[in-house]
Amino acid sequence: MKSLVISLAVAASSAAAQPPLELMATIPMPGVKGRIDHFAIDTKGHRLFVAALGNDTVEVLDLAAGRHLRSLSGFGEPQGVAYLPEWNRLYVASGTANRVDVLDGTSLSPVKRVERLDDADNVRYDSAARTVIIGYGRGALRLLKAESGAPLGDIKLAGHPESFQLDATAGRIYVNVPTAQHVAVVDPGKGAVIATWPVRAARSNFPMALDAQQQRLFVGARSPALLLVYDTRSGNLVTKVSIGGDTDDLFYDAQRKRVYVVCGEGRVDVLRQDTADRYVVEASIPTAARARTGLFADDRLYVAAPAQGSSPARVLVYRAH
């Protein structure tokens, strides 16, 4: 009995000492220079797609083997990517090329181009509506048919959209519009903005994540560096937490009740969600300078580290505990 108690105590102590994120692997991206933007994942095919904005390429990584597969060229500052498993299509939004490329998911060759989308940026896939949504221009969301890329119309906004999240339960889209200093609430059925929630506590609201079950929206701001938490029922700001600087991606881990904030100053802040309105910084995990974008999927946090000095561009792979 005594040995059982000791074993349980050691196990509890080990669990308590275990960091919330553990670095499992580093996948180099040879020859990739400049800024790296957003990711997409093909879970079944074990592929990660990385928008290498400063390199004008999309990098394809083999997650099962932990290696670089290939580099896709011909883009102009790719910013957003989305993989559609039902259609085996990869959508790539390019900022300076002002277009969206639709690629075949197997050959990764282009099958369609959607032109005249100035500063095409973030991409989201609404699987229920079979719609791809692109943030672009001085203020709009473009809706496209998922299977063909055919246009379904625009939803006008007050400024260029940064990160946005789809709330299937509420039938809404929440959009960061930093130049207007608000979050726009969009009803896609009406094709219009139905509300705006002011961002008064800080400026430069770029990344966003959603806890749909507890109806909380997480907004990352850079000036000052804060995580802002909104109640999606009322639109009210319920709390704010200091975070690291230069964030461009953040993610909600529903299983572990955590928020992961990827900060360009070289760390990931891990915030524990004690209640819907209470958040505590659980840890700050070191990454690399200017590593401010990533993706959380399948209990893994992928973080992009740009090339710097003798260090090549790479993706850092963390396992969530």
Side-chain angles (χ1 to χ4, degrees):
M1 182 67 178
K2 184 177 179 180
S3 62
L4 176 60
V5 171
I6 292 172
S7 297
L8 290 173
V10 169
S13 174
S14 175
Q18 193 172 50
L21 293 173
E22 176 190 4
L23 182 63
M24 292 178 55
T26 298
I27 307 176
M29 295 186 291
V32 172
K33 305 297 182 184
R35 181 181 150 198
I36 301 172
D37 222 332
H38 303 294
F39 295 11
I41 193 167
D42 169 14
T43 300
K44 186 176 179 181
H46 306 290
R47 294 179 298 173
L48 190 71
F49 303 101
V50 182
L53 180 149
N55 205 55
D56 291 332
T57 59
V58 171
E59 303 302 311
V60 187
L61 308 184
D62 181 339
L63 296 178
R67 66 184 182 91
H68 182 263
L69 274 181
R70 59 186 293 194
S71 182
L72 309 176
S73 60
F75 305 99
E77 294 194 351
Q79 301 189 88
V81 286
Y83 177 72
L84 283 54
E86 294 93 331
W87 312 102
N88 193 29
R89 291 286 186 265
L90 180 69
Y91 278 68
V92 181
S94 290
T96 56
N98 301 323
R99 69 171 191 258
V100 168
D101 290 273
V102 185
L103 310 183
D104 175 78
T106 302
S107 66
L108 297 177
S109 58
V111 296
K112 184 180 179 65
R113 280 183 173 173
V114 183
E115 305 280 2
R116 298 181 180 178
L117 292 176
D118 295 349
D119 195 11
D121 200 338
N122 281 275
V123 185
R124 299 288 183 269
Y125 174 43
D126 184 343
S127 58
R130 297 185 175 185
T131 301
V132 175
I133 305 167
I134 315 291
Y136 81 100
R138 295 184 179 180
L141 299 178
R142 168 69 58 86
L143 278 61
L144 304 171
K145 285 186 177 180
E147 67 272 30
S148 65
L152 293 171
D154 282 9
I155 300 172
K156 298 299 182 183
L157 303 166
H160 179 77
E162 291 297 334
S163 183
F164 58 94
Q165 295 295 319
L166 312 182
D167 186 344
T169 304
R172 293 175 170 183
I173 306 172
Y174 307 109
V175 189
N176 267 332
V177 188
T179 55
Q181 286 189 260
H182 68 222
V183 173
V185 182
V186 170
D187 182 331
K190 295 179 178 178
V193 174
I194 58 172
T196 56
W197 301 337
V199 179
R200 298 192 181 100
R203 293 178 179 269
S204 300
N205 49 308
F206 286 86
M208 177 187 285
L210 176 67
D211 173 4
Q213 183 178 3
Q214 298 192 84
Q215 299 175 300
R216 291 296 180 267
L217 185 71
F218 308 107
V219 172
R222 297 180 185 171
S223 182
L226 293 171
L227 179 73
L228 310 175
V229 184
Y230 288 83
D231 183 336
T232 60
R233 293 165 298 188
S234 65
N236 293 332
L237 177 67
V238 296
T239 192
K240 54 187 178 181
V241 184
S242 293
I243 56 173
D246 194 30
T247 179
D248 204 35
D249 265 330
L250 64 91
F251 306 95
Y252 178 64
D253 181 346
Q255 178 183 341
R256 298 170 184 84
K257 302 295 182 184
R258 289 187 188 137
V259 181
Y260 304 120
V261 186
V262 185
C263 306
E265 70 174 53
R267 73 195 212 203
V268 173
D269 285 343
V270 181
L271 280 67
R272 185 181 70 244
Q273 183 187 52
D274 289 342
T275 70
D277 297 336
R278 175 176 166 77
Y279 300 81
V280 177
V281 177
E282 185 177 351
S284 288
I285 308 297
T287 55
R290 299 185 292 121
R292 65 179 190 168
T293 58
L295 179 71
F296 181 68
D298 304 321
D299 297 330
R300 302 290 186 269
L301 179 67
Y302 304 95
V303 177
Q308 188 171 21
S310 60
S311 297
R314 59 210 182 278
V315 168
L316 309 174
V317 184
Y318 295 87
R319 176 169 54 195
H321 293 296

